[in-house]
């Protein structure tokens, strides 16, 4: 990563944590639905960037959100999980050769982007709610929260990618 | 030796993932036990001050309703004071009747949550204002929760809307007592369990704190019964209680310090050790 990119990523990290803690955690749409925008950081981390660094940063990202929402380590666990499995999702949604043809998430086809974002969002939210509720008896509640929050987050993340990408037409 | 080193280098991502994931799970499990989440909570310096700044801004939006609440409470207290005045003039004061057992500290809520299953609040007072864990938190209308962790300037409160929360409560009329828990369904309705089957319960009955612990004094308001059902084994009742507090917009709270708590706890501990 160049200096410029490092700065952008640090800036993105701080802004996303603050937005999540101060704004998005308090939306409570229909009583319990909150979007989790902060995983945008993991989704648009440079594809050629260092993978170990991404896993470490995801842990710190999740932990910062946890500190603000008093939730132990649930965000950290879910973030580390999707950071580790991100290459798999990339391969699955953009084809095997994604690493060689300098792909940008913001410039990919919409269906591919939707598949990539929604799959990681759903996995993240499922782990998140599983750990938060921590009771297999409430599996329906877990799935319901995953689905509704997942839809909300996916829409928000896709719009954020579209709005903040430099090459929109 | 080289083989082992190669193994570590080749699988460094996986190992890093496993280590960090286990740490997160460990922190999660720790946070499920009251008082145990030592590292991850919003009463620390950074998140505490960020929440204070945010609250300084958003606090203006509902000044009017908050003022009304305070005026209402002032009126109520003034009325009570008039009552005491009469007593004082007529006869000498019996200091045993006036309760000096509890000390009240006011605080402001700087972060509130009610949408997850383990809700916590953050308040803007801490050790410097002689707050400590296990003190009760109430508003002028009813109970809010119990202090979970304190730092120098901030404290986190385990809300009654937390599946770990258990508060001793009773029916105001018949004095039957049980535990107040929350089934995560509605942020304004909690459940009172372990009420004996024969207790005379009516819809609209008032529920107050039981005073069987050192945290809350007896008779702090909680809510009213909106309906009740029998448990499957038909031995006890489950009451749905509508809270007097609207947990979604509380702002000013009082923290109750029981001055005798240490004494009561020591004697209870001695008893336990003797057994």
């Amino acid at each position: 990563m160049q200096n410029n990119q490092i700065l952008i990523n640090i800036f993105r990290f701080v802004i996303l944590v603050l937005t999540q803690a101060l704004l998005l955690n308090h939306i409570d749409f229909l009583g319990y639905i909150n979007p989790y925008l902060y995983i945008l950081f993991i989704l648009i981390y440079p594809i050629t960037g260092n993978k170990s660094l991404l896993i470490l940063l995801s842990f710190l990202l999740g932990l910062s959100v946890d500190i603000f929402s008093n939730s132990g380590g649930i965000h950290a666990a879910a973030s580390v999980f999707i950071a580790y499995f991100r290459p798999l999702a990339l391969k699955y949604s953009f084809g095997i050769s994604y690493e060689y043809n300098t792909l940008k998430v913001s410039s990919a086809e919409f269906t591919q982007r939707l598949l990539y974002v929604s799959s990681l969002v759903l996995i993240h939210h499922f782990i998140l709610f599983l750990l938060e509720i921590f009771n297999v008896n409430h599996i329906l509640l877990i799935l319901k929260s995953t689905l509704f929050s997942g839809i909300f987050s996916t829409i928000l993340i896709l719009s954020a990618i579209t709005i903040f990408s430099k090459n929109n037409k | 030796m080289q083989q082992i080193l190669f193994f570590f280098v080749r699988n460094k991502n996986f190992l890093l993932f496993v280590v960090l994931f286990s740490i997160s799970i460990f922190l999660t499990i720790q946070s499920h036990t009251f008082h145990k989440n030592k590292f991850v909570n919003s009463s620390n310096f950074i998140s505490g001050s960020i929440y204070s700044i945010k609250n300084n801004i958003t606090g203006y939006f509902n000044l009017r309703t908050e003022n009304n609440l305070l005026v209402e409470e002032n009126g109520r207290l003034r009325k009570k004071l008039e009552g005491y005045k009469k007593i004082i003039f007529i006869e000498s004061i019996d200091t045993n009747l006036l309760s000096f057992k509890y000390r009240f500290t006011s605080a402001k809520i700087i972060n509130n949550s009610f949408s997850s299953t383990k809700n916590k609040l953050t308040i803007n007072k801490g050790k410097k204002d002689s707050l400590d864990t296990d003190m009760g938190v109430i508003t002028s209308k009813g109970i809010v929760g119990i202090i979970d962790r304190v730092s120098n300037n901030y404290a986190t409160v385990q809300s009654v809307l937390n599946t770990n929360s258990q508060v001793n409560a009773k029916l105001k009329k018949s004095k039957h007592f049980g535990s107040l828990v929350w089934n995560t369904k509605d942020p304004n309705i909690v459940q009172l369990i372990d009420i004996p089957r024969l207790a005379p319960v009516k819809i609209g009955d008032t529920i107050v704190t039981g005073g069987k612990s050192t945290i809350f004094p007896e008779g702090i308001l909680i809510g009213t019964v909106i309906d009740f059902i029998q448990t499957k084994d038909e031995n006890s009742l489950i009451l749905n209680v509508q809270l007097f507090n609207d947990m979604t917009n509380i702002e000013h709270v009082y923290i109750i310090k029981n001055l005798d708590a240490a004494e009561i706890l020591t004697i209870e501990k001695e008893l336990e050790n003797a057994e």
Side-chain angles (χ1 to χ4, degrees), chain B residues 25 34 48 57 63 135 148 176 180 183 226 232-233:
Chain B
I25 299 279
F34 193 46
I57 300 166
L63 273 185
M135 289 184 182
D148 181 12
H176 286 98
L180 200 69
N183 67 2
I226 48 173
K232 276 179 197 135
D233 54 7

Side-chain angles (χ1 to χ4, degrees), chain A residues 1-9:
Chain A
M1 277 196 281
Q2 291 123 6
N3 276 338
N4 189 16
Q5 236 178 350
I6 293 176
L7 276 181
I8 289 178
N9 271 302

Side-chain angles (χ1 to χ4, degrees), chain A residues 22 26 28 31-32 34 51-52 55 59 63 66-68 70 72-74 76-77 80-81 84 131-132 134, chain B residues 12-14 16-17 20-21 24 27-28 31-32 40-42 44 47 51 54 111-112 114-118 156:
Chain A
L22 299 180
H26 302 282
D28 300 320
Y32 62 95
N34 279 328
K51 291 199 180 75
S52 314
I55 296 177
F59 178 71
L63 201 65
D66 275 326
I67 287 175
F68 276 104
N70 286 311
I74 60 175
V80 167
F81 196 86
Y84 181 69
L131 289 177
E132 188 201 316
F134 217 65
Chain B
K12 65 174 191 303
N13 281 348
F14 179 68
L16 189 66
F17 162 69
L20 293 179
F21 195 70
S24 325
L27 289 174
T28 308
S31 78
H32 284 254
V40 185
N41 62 71
S42 66
N44 68 49
S47 55
Y51 275 141
K54 178 208 167 196
N111 181 43
N112 186 3
F114 46 85
S115 57
S116 80
T117 54
K118 302 206 165 48
T156 55

Side-chain angles (χ1 to χ4, degrees), chain B residues 170-188:
Chain B
K170 67 178 181 189
L171 287 158
K172 194 179 181 188
K173 232 184 263 165
S174 64
K175 313 270 189 274
H176 286 98
F177 63 89
S179 310
L180 200 69
V181 295
W182 187 50
N183 67 2
T184 74
K185 293 259 163 59
D186 187 318
N188 283 319

Side-chain angles (χ1 to χ4, degrees), chain A residues 15-85:
Chain A
I15 291 291
L16 283 174
V17 169
L18 288 182
T19 324
Q20 186 66 45
L22 299 180
L23 197 67
L24 299 179
N25 274 351
H26 302 282
I27 287 187
D28 300 320
F29 182 60
L30 295 183
Y32 62 95
I33 301 171
N34 279 328
Y36 296 98
L37 179 68
Y38 72 94
I39 55 172
L40 181 67
F41 179 84
I42 303 167
L43 295 178
I44 58 173
Y45 181 84
I47 286 166
T48 46
N50 187 336
K51 291 199 180 75
S52 314
L53 185 67
L54 173 64
I55 296 177
L56 195 68
L57 284 177
S58 310
F59 178 71
L60 293 178
L61 179 75
L63 201 65
S64 322
V65 176
D66 275 326
I67 287 175
F68 276 104
S69 42
N70 286 311
S71 48
I74 60 175
H75 290 283
S79 303
V80 167
F81 196 86
I82 61 163
Y84 181 69
F85 285 102

Side-chain angles (χ1 to χ4, degrees), chain A residues 62-124:
Chain A
L63 201 65
S64 322
V65 176
D66 275 326
I67 287 175
F68 276 104
S69 42
N70 286 311
S71 48
I74 60 175
H75 290 283
S79 303
V80 167
F81 196 86
I82 61 163
Y84 181 69
F85 285 102
R86 191 180 83 133
L88 210 67
L90 279 169
K91 205 190 284 178
Y92 191 68
S93 355
F94 300 113
I96 296 172
S97 56
Y98 71 90
E99 242 173 313
Y100 305 107
N101 43 16
T102 52
L103 168 87
K104 265 195 155 178
V105 176
S106 54
S107 55
E109 247 180 77
F110 181 75
T111 42
Q112 289 181 333
R113 210 186 327 162
L114 179 69
L115 185 65
Y116 170 63
V117 171
S118 60
S119 58
L120 283 183
V121 162
L122 285 180
I123 296 171
H124 173 271

Side-chain angles (χ1 to χ4, degrees), chain B residues 187-247:
Chain B
N188 283 319
I189 294 169
V190 294
Q191 283 69 37
L192 184 62
I193 56 167
D194 295 338
I195 292 285
R197 182 167 56 95
L198 295 172
V201 182
K202 272 202 301 279
I203 287 170
D205 278 357
T206 308
I207 306 292
V208 295
T209 53
K212 297 234 172 353
S213 71
T214 55
I215 299 172
F216 290 106
E218 196 182 344
I220 301 273
L221 293 173
I222 295 175
T224 51
V225 177
I226 48 173
D227 61 0
F228 54 91
I229 46 167
Q230 279 192 355
T231 51
K232 276 179 197 135
D233 54 7
E234 299 198 341
N235 281 328
S236 61
L237 296 173
I238 299 176
L239 279 54
N240 278 321
V241 180
Q242 169 95 42
L243 292 171
F244 288 127
N245 265 330
D246 182 355
M247 291 299 283

